[in-house]
Amino acid sequence: MNFDPLNILSQTVLLLLLAPLLTGCIRNWKAKLQNRRGARVWQPYSDLIKFFRKDMVISEHASWVFSFAPYVVFITALVAGLLVPMVTVQAPMSLFGDVLALVGLLALGRFFLALGGLDPGSAFGGMGSSREMTIAAIAEPAMMLAIFTVAITAGSTDISHIVQVAQSPAWKVLNPTHVMAFAALFIVLLAETGRIPVDNPATHLELTMIHEAMLLEYSGRYLALMEWGASIKQLVLMTLLVNIFFPIGMVTDTTPAALCIGALVYAGKLILIAAAVVVVETTNAKLRLFRVPDLLGAAFVLGTLALLSTFLFQ
C-alpha cells in the first residue's frame, strides 16, 4: 500500500469535476420525467462560477465559525472521497483511514454545517440545523451498520480491502444480507443528500426545508463551497454504494486500457444509481417531518438485521 501523489491528484480532479455533473444529470433527468424542460446538465458548473464571482453578504452577528464552516464542509467531503475507491480497487488515501475515518469525516462536515446555520442567529438556520442533527442521529448508525455488514464479510474495515475481497468468486452479490445492507445504505443516501422523500433540494419553503435552511445566510464564495461540498458528498456516497456492493469492472492495474474500461463501467454504475434516485424522487412525495424518523428507522432495522445475519448464517 504505497503513497501515490499522482493517484491522489487524479482522483481529486475526478471528484471536483464529476460531482457537479452528477448533480446536473439528476436535476435534468428529474425534470424530463416531470415533463419539464429542466436546466442543462452542466448548469451546476455555471452556478459555481457565478457564486465564486459574487460578493459575500455576511451577517453582523456571524462569528469566525460562519466563515470557517464552508471550508470544513468542502475539505471533509473531498478527503472522504479520497478514502473510497472509484475506478481502481485501491483508494488513494486508504493508508490513512478506513470506514470509521470516512464516517467521521462526513460527521465532522455535518457538524460544522449545522454550526454555520446556527451561528448568524437566524430562525431558519437554527431550524434547519436542529432538523439536520435529528436526522443524522438515526442516519449515521444505519450507515455504519450497513457498511460494517460488508466489512465483517470481508474481514476488514479498509474500504480498498473490502472491494478487493468483493471481487473474489466466492463473493455473493445477491446475498440477502447484502441486499438488506444495500437497501439501508440507499435510504441513508437519500437522507444524507437531502433528496425526496426526506428533503426537497429544489425548494425554500420554510416549513419543509432542512439542508437549504442552513445555507440561507450564505452567499458568494462561501455558498459555492457549500454547494460544491454537497455535490462531492453525494458522489462519495453513491460511489461507496455501487463499488462496495457491486465492484464489477474495478481494475487492479493502471494501464491506459484498463483505466478506460474501469472508468466506463464506473460511469455506468453511477448512471444506474442516479437513475434510481431520480425514479424514487419522481414517484414519491415528500414525507412530513415527523414521518422521516420512521423511514430512517426502517433503514436502521434493515442494517441491524443485515449485521446480525452475518453472524447467524456465516
Side-chain angles (χ1 to χ4, degrees):
M1 192 179 297
N2 298 322
F3 182 78
D4 189 356
L6 182 60
N7 192 14
I8 294 176
L9 179 61
S10 59
Q11 184 151 325
T12 300
V13 173
L14 183 61
L15 285 166
L16 293 175
L17 297 181
L18 186 58
L21 179 62
L22 182 63
T23 300
C25 288
I26 291 177
R27 293 175 181 174
N28 183 268
W29 298 343
K30 183 179 176 182
K32 293 293 190 296
L33 283 180
Q34 295 174 347
N35 292 324
R36 296 186 290 110
R37 181 178 179 181
R40 300 166 298 178
V41 295
W42 54 83
Q43 184 62 41
Y45 296 107
S46 301
D47 293 340
L48 289 176
I49 295 173
K50 177 182 66 176
F51 292 150
F52 275 116
R53 289 179 176 176
K54 282 184 173 292
D55 295 330
M56 293 183 295
V57 179
I58 301 177
S59 171
E60 60 181 3
H61 304 292
S63 67
W64 64 271
V65 175
F66 182 83
S67 302
F68 191 61
Y71 296 100
V72 176
V73 171
F74 178 78
I75 292 175
T76 52
L78 188 60
V79 175
L82 296 176
L83 298 176
V84 180
M86 298 180 71
V87 178
T88 62
V89 296
Q90 186 64 45
M93 294 184 63
S94 61
L95 180 64
F96 302 97
D98 55 0
V99 171
L100 295 176
L102 173 66
V103 176
L105 284 170
L106 296 179
L108 179 63
R110 181 188 299 105
F111 175 71
F112 273 90
L113 176 62
L115 283 183
L118 285 169
D119 191 63
S122 65
F124 288 156
M127 178 185 65
S129 298
S130 175
R131 293 176 176 179
E132 176 72 13
M133 299 312 294
T134 301
I135 291 175
I138 312 175
E140 284 182 2
M143 177 170 62
M144 294 182 69
L145 288 171
I147 299 176
F148 283 159
T149 299
V150 186
I152 290 174
T153 306
S156 174
T157 57
D158 183 13
I159 304 177
S160 297
H161 182 75
I162 294 174
V163 173
Q164 292 174 2
V165 174
Q167 289 189 322
S168 64
W171 189 267
K172 298 180 181 179
V173 176
L174 298 180
N175 186 351
T177 298
H178 294 163
V179 172
M180 289 189 292
F182 178 85
L185 195 56
F186 183 79
I187 295 175
V188 171
L189 168 67
L190 298 177
E192 289 284 340
T193 55
R195 318 301 308 189
I196 293 174
V198 177
D199 191 15
N200 188 355
T203 183
H204 286 84
L205 296 176
E206 61 272 14
L207 296 179
T208 61
M209 59 184 176
I210 300 176
H211 181 266
E212 297 300 322
M214 296 181 287
L215 304 184
L216 284 179
E217 295 291 331
Y218 282 99
S219 59
R221 181 176 68 253
Y222 291 164
L223 181 59
L225 290 174
M226 286 289 197
E227 295 287 356
W228 207 352
S231 296
I232 294 174
K233 179 181 178 180
Q234 176 180 254
L235 175 61
V236 171
L237 291 174
M238 287 187 174
T239 302
L240 185 69
L241 194 63
V242 297
N243 282 350
I244 283 184
F245 294 97
F246 304 100
I248 303 170
M250 300 189 69
V251 297
T252 56
D253 54 359
T254 56
T255 59
L259 289 176
C260 289
I261 295 175
L264 289 176
V265 175
Y266 173 63
K269 291 188 291 186
L270 279 184
I271 289 174
L272 290 177
I273 195 66
V277 170
V278 171
V279 171
V280 170
E281 280 204 303
T282 307
T283 56
N284 289 272
K286 185 186 179 303
L287 291 175
R288 295 175 58 186
L289 181 63
F290 296 107
R291 295 293 303 277
V292 172
D294 296 338
L295 177 65
L296 295 176
F300 180 81
V301 171
L302 285 172
T304 303
L305 292 175
L307 186 63
L308 291 176
S309 63
T310 58
F311 298 101
L312 296 176
F313 302 108
Q314 65 180 357

